[in-house]
Each structure stands twice: as structure tokens, then as C-alpha cells.
DNA sequence: GCTCGTAAAATTGTATCCAAAAAGGGTGTC
DNA sequence: GACACCCTTTTTGGATACAATTTTACGAGC
């Protein structure tokens, strides 16, 4: 793929920030960063502007960009917003109904979690498969809701370093068990075309994840997915 | 205020697009636009990138920026997303409780609508005051919810040309009457600290506005606020 | 010793210039 | 006459140069 430098730089920087390789509060000096990335300041500045618009960076006129810091409240609040949006998505899908092939696909996804949990303990490679499955499950519902605002707004709430379901790994068997049971119930509600139940199940599901995550962060029990944090070069010395 | 050219250009262009002075689908040629605005292409390009991130423009690599077109579904969907977010805001405020001075302030705002509606017909200058009051009312609840995601995400859903409550003028007495009754009920729910009622009242209030607006657009009954569309110079010839 | 002011250095914002890609036009061929 | 190909023009992306603002450092004054 031959994208523009701006896009490349945007993606690289986003990943670095999401993985915490550039620390919150840190100032991003343009010339230094541009040199480190092997581009001029022009595409870098566009990339910085993009990331500031996404909420990952903070911008102050004539004072440059700094990495935004997220505290416990930000994470809880983000999940709260995401909860109502994904609840709306689930409720929309339940109302519209879900076609058979999609249903079958999602049931196969749930099987992944079932077999992993059937072992009675958490296998590392199962965990990663579960994480990817979880992302697919949520994304599928959001996509089926067919509301571009939901997709876009949920995407934004995921742009918190260490706080995305794309990165976080469930380490606690009981939590994963409970969470996966939610998945089953949500799909059941979609199947039965029960928008109210789909809504409150999804809301609770997401809110619970937020609470759990915030707790994990406070106790320092955070593990990120290996394939996300990998393949990144060092930018700051 | 001596902001940067980039910020000025961003604001000017946003206003032009929101007011429909630059038509959907229209391509924004950088050099021409830069000349029209009296700046070089550099700040203009940053401004375009910002607006694309906000969702007002569409960007394609090496092919430039075009004004995004919004159809009926986009508007309904945007209001649906905004509805659950503002519902969450209202519910949060109801849960946390609302202090006396804020309550008093909001009740004074509602008086504005009451006196306007007491006349039994819609006076043009009352309408504008009502529009501003309505914005304040919603913004206040969002601000009191103290969740930066809600503020930011709701702001984004407002970025649809001709579809923001900041621009739209209620022309129908009955609609305004019903809408303002919602305001009273919502404030009552906040006062009584009833988050569930606050939530569903606000959701219905916003969803209804979306439905009504979409209907108005289809029948061509759209009037924008005078102070928003004014004070803008022509950019395209 | 501290504060304030001023000047130098560093950093960001803007303008201009060059390169690359896309759009437009014309000619040739089938 | 229609389509394809190539060349020119236009437009966008990126690099560099310059201007404006902020930060920092130093010294005078209290």
C-alpha cells in the first residue's frame, strides 16, 4: 500500500501513543519528531492535527502538541458514553432483526470463547483469540446497526491508551466467564428481536468492562495484546 | 482575539459549510480557496484536515477535499446517537443532583419560552431568543454531566449543515409548545433526581427533534438563524 | 536574594518552492 | 466514429525558507 506520508505518520504515532510509548503529558517537538520519522515537518504537522482531533493529543496555539493524559474518570466516562452508544446499536440490530448467515457467524465466534472457557483456566493463546473475537463481536453489532455516527463515536471512545478492548487482555477467568455469558445473552436478545433487553444487556456489559478496567489500571494489572505493541520503533530517546 | 490563521480559516470554513454556502459534494480547490481567504495553502490545508476530521469534509488522498453530503438517514441517525448521549447526560445530572443556583438559572431560561408561548403565536424575535435559550438549556445539562466524552461526541453530532439546534428555528407553534413542555418535564426530573425519567424524556425530546427536522428538510421548510448565516463573505464564485 | 525586564535561543506558524499524482486534451489507431 | 495512448496542464503532497511567538537566560534594579 502506497499511502501518503501523512497517513503513515498518523498511524505510526497513533500506535505509539496508544501503546504508551510516548508518555502522557509529553510534549511533541516537531523538528525532532520529524527527523526521527524521516519526514519533514509538513506531513508531521498534519498528522499531529489529525491526532489532536481524534483526542489523543492536546493542542495549544503557538505552544504545540502534548500527549493527552487520561485518568480513571476519563476511562469510566468514556465507557459510559460507549455503553449507551453500543446499547443503541444492539437495540437497533434487535429491532431490525439479524439475518441467518450473520447469526451463524456470530455463534461460531461465541464457540471460540466457549471452548476456551471449557478448559476451566486461561490459556495465553486462547486469551488472544478471545480478545480478537470480542472485538469482532462488538464491531459486527455496531456495523449491523448501520449508523455511521455510532461507528465513528464508538471508535473515538476507544482511543484511550491502554483502555481499548482492542488492546486489553482479560486475565481473570471469572471476569471472562461473566463477560462471555453477556455475549450469549446479547446474541439471544438479538435473535429474539428484543431491543430493550439487547440495550440494557449491552450497556451493562460495556459499563462493567469499564469499571473492571479502571480497577485493573489502579492496581497495575494491565497487559496489552502482543501484536499491537510490537513492530514499533523507538521515537524518543 | 489574535488566533492563528489556521484557527480563523477553520472557523470561517466551518460556518460556511454549516450554513450551506459551500454546497455538498463541492470540491475545495486549495489554491483558489487560499486566495479567497487571503492566506497561503499551508494554514488552509490544516484547516481542511481539521474539518475532515470533524466529519464535515471528505478526504481522498491525492484528490483533495469535498463537502460531505448528508441525507435524511444521516440526520435521523445523528439525532439517535445524540439522543442516547444527552439522555445519559440528563440521567447523570439527575443522579448527582443539581445545585440551587443552576436550577434557578435554568428555570429563568424556561420562563423565556413560557412568555413567548403565552402569546399564542410565534413572534420572530421571540423565536430567536427561544433558539438561543434551547441551546443553553441543552449545553448546561451536558456541561453538568461532567463527562468530556459526552460534550465532545454530542458536539460532533451537531456538525451537520442545517441540522444543528444552533441553527434551526422552530416555526411551528405546536411543535415549540410540545418541545418546551419537554424542557419543563426534564428539569422537573432533574430536580426530583429521577435519572430514569430524565433519561427517557431527554431521549424522546432529542429523537422527536430529529424526526421533525428530517420532515422539515424533506418539505423544504428550513429556516436558519439570522445571526449564524450573516457576517460571512462569499468564497465561491 | 528575589523580581522584573529585556534580549537571545528555541519552537511553532506561515509562505513559498519543488515533486508527484491526477485530470484534461489531443492525436493516432482500429 | 470510438477507444486507447501519450503529453500537457492542473492540483495536491511534501520540503524548505522565513516570520512570529514563546521560552529561556542573563543582568539590572530593588
Amino acid at each position: 500500500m502506497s499511502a501518503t506520508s501523512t497517513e503513515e505518520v498518523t498511524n505510526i504515532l497513533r500506535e505509539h501513543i496508544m501503546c504508551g510509548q510516548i508518555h502522557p503529558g509529553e510534549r511533541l517537538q516537531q523538528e525532532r519528531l520529524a527527523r526521527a520519522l524521516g519526514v519533514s515537518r509538513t506531513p508531521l504537522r498534519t498528522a499531529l492535527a489529525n491526532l489532536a482531533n481524534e483526542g489523543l493529543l492536546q493542542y495549544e496555539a503557538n505552544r504545540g502538541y502534548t500527549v493527552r493524559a487520561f485518568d480513571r474518570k476519563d476511562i469510566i466516562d468514556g465507557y459510559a458514553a460507549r455503553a449507551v452508544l453500543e446499547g443503541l446499536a444492539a437495540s437497533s440490530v434487535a429491532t431490525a432483526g439479524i439475518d441467518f448467515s450473520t447469526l451463524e457467524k456470530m455463534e461460531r465466534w461465541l464457540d471460540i470463547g466457549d471452548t476456551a472457557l471449557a478448559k476451566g483456566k486461561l490459556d495465553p493463546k486462547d486469551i488472544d483469540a478471545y480478545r480478537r473475537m470480542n472485538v469482532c463481536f462488538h464491531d459486527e453489532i455496531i456495523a449491523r446497526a448501520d449508523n455511521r455516527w455510532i461507528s465513528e463515536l464508538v471508535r473515538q471512545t476507544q482511543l484511550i491508551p491502554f483502555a481499548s478492548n482492542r488492546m486489553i487482555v482479560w486475565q481473570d477467568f471469572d471476569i471472562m466467564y461473566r463477560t462471555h455469558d453477556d455475549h450469549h445473552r446479547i446474541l439471544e436478545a438479538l435473535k429474539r428481536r428484543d431491543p430493550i433487553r439487547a440495550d440494557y444487556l449491552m450497556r451493562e456489559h460495556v459499563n462493567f468492562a469499564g469499571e473492571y478496567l479502571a480497577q485493573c489500571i489502579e492496581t497495575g494489572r494491565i497487559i496489552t495484546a502482543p501484536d499491537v505493541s510490537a513492530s514499533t520503533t523507538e521515537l524518543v530517546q
Side-chain angles (χ1 to χ4, degrees), chain A:
Chain A
M1 56 169 183
S2 64
T4 60
S5 317
T6 298
E7 286 169 339
E8 277 179 39
V9 168
T10 304
N11 292 329
I12 291 172
L13 281 179
R14 186 190 296 113
E15 210 161 300
H16 274 264
I17 297 165
M18 286 296 287
C19 297
Q21 297 189 15
I22 309 180
H23 302 94
E26 191 171 321
R27 187 161 170 194
L28 299 179
Q29 287 191 27
Q30 298 176 0
E31 197 159 6
R32 186 179 306 175
L33 246 187
R35 232 197 315 264
L37 289 160
V39 294
S40 81
R41 276 178 57 214
T42 309
L44 171 68
R45 280 175 57 92
T46 311
L48 292 173
N50 289 340
L51 296 172
N53 276 305
E54 289 180 0
L56 281 174
L57 299 179
Q58 233 162 355
Y59 171 73
E60 234 176 321
N62 292 314
R63 298 190 60 183
Y65 297 85
T66 51
V67 178
R68 168 166 262 146
F70 295 90
D71 58 13
R72 187 182 193 282
K73 179 165 162 42
D74 283 325
I75 292 166
I76 294 284
D77 287 353
Y79 271 80
R82 199 186 127 201
V84 296
L85 289 167
E86 288 211 46
L88 171 62
S91 133
S92 301
V93 173
T95 302
I98 193 166
D99 62 288
F100 184 72
S101 63
T102 306
L103 194 67
E104 210 173 26
K105 178 173 65 178
M106 293 181 80
E107 274 167 348
R108 276 202 304 276
W109 288 341
L110 293 194
D111 284 343
I112 296 172
D114 291 338
T115 49
L117 286 164
K119 297 178 183 174
K121 63 178 175 61
L122 294 185
D123 194 328
K125 70 173 192 294
D126 284 341
I127 288 179
D128 197 53
Y130 183 82
R131 182 187 57 79
R132 282 199 300 272
M133 181 279 290
N134 182 52
V135 172
C136 288
F137 186 82
H138 283 263
D139 283 355
E140 185 70 32
I141 293 173
I142 290 167
R144 294 281 153 188
D146 190 31
N147 178 330
R148 74 176 193 78
W149 299 97
I150 297 179
S151 325
E152 181 52 34
L153 301 182
V154 167
R155 177 182 165 275
Q156 272 190 258
T157 64
Q158 309 253 41
L159 287 173
I160 309 178
F162 295 112
S164 158
N165 61 355
R166 278 146 219 281
M167 300 187 59
I168 291 306
V169 173
W170 302 114
Q171 309 157 68
D172 190 330
F173 181 85
D174 295 333
I175 297 290
M176 190 159 137
Y177 192 89
R178 167 70 158 84
T179 296
H180 196 54
D181 190 52
D182 284 346
H183 289 156
H184 277 285
R185 295 197 203 182
I186 289 166
L187 191 58
E188 192 62 30
L190 297 183
K191 209 189 295 186
R192 294 190 190 171
R193 308 189 63 163
D194 187 338
I196 294 172
R197 191 175 168 219
D199 180 37
Y200 70 63
L201 277 173
M202 183 60 94
R203 282 165 76 151
E204 176 55 25
H205 178 67
V206 174
N207 273 319
F208 179 75
E211 298 277 357
Y212 176 68
L213 175 61
Q215 202 179 325
C216 283
I217 287 174
E218 278 179 355
T219 54
R221 293 179 293 134
I222 286 290
I223 297 182
T224 60
D227 59 342
V228 179
S229 52
S231 77
T232 50
T233 53
E234 200 61 36
L235 285 183
V236 277
Q237 55 279 15

